[in-house]
């Protein structure tokens, strides 16, 4: 996963340190937030990750890096759609769609 991440960072021109953390529960499946040292912390639900294939894992990383890119370039334009626009520079739209259908299933199962 670190290899996938490094490749995507390079492609998107993101020099910031990204810390990947597998957590027991993340109700949004995966998310990113700035930490206090100029790095970014990506939290991934470990159970959700088990359901993703390599392509979907890469799409998830690309989406979160899209958020990092927005944080560092256009912090006032923070939307999910823009994060995905950045993600499709490096992964296919189809991979993102597959990922999102799993995110929705995941969120529904938590809501239950
Ligand atoms: Zn997002």
């Amino acid at each position: 996963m670190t290899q996938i991440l490094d490749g995507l960072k390079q492609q998107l021109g993101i020099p910031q340190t990204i810390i990947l953390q597998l957590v027991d529960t993340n109700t949004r499946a995966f998310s990113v937030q700035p930490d206090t040292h100029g790095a970014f912390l990506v939290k991934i639900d470990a159970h959700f990750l088990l359901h993703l294939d390599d392509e979907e894992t890469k799409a998830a990383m690309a989406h979160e890096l899209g958020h990092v890119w927005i944080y560092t370039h256009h912090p006032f334009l923070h939307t999910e759609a823009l994060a995905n626009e950045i993600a499709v520079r490096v992964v296919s739209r189809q991979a993102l769609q597959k990922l999102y259908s799993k995110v929705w299933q995941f969120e529904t199962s938590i809501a239950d």
Side-chain angles (χ1 to χ4, degrees):
M1 251 172 97
T2 315
Q3 267 179 347
I4 297 175
L5 183 69
D6 286 344
L8 292 172
K9 278 176 66 182
Q10 204 161 32
Q11 282 179 281
L12 290 169
I14 293 173
Q16 285 80 12
T17 301
I18 312 285
I19 300 155
L20 290 177
Q21 190 177 22
L22 289 178
V23 295
D24 265 347
T25 313
N26 182 346
T27 53
R28 287 155 63 196
F30 49 87
S31 58
V32 63
Q33 64 197 72
D35 79 359
T36 49
H37 309 288
F40 289 86
L41 180 63
V42 174
K43 289 186 179 176
I44 305 161
D45 186 292
H47 306 283
F48 177 70
L49 188 64
L50 291 176
H51 296 286
L52 301 185
D53 64 24
D54 287 354
E55 197 187 21
E56 292 154 356
T57 303
K58 190 175 172 185
M61 296 281 146
H63 174 87
E64 294 312 315
L65 286 176
H67 281 299
V68 172
W69 192 92
I70 298 166
Y71 271 120
T72 52
H73 292 78
H74 296 288
F76 302 108
L77 283 176
H78 221 123
T79 64
E80 290 304 307
L82 184 53
N84 284 330
E85 286 310 308
I86 293 159
V88 294
R89 294 177 190 171
V90 289
V91 295
S92 68
R93 221 167 260 281
Q94 196 192 13
L96 278 171
Q97 277 161 358
K98 279 169 61 193
L99 170 68
Y100 272 94
S101 71
K102 290 194 177 174
V103 170
W104 289 325
Q105 275 176 3
F106 177 78
E107 287 173 343
T108 307
S109 72
I110 284 181
D112 286 344

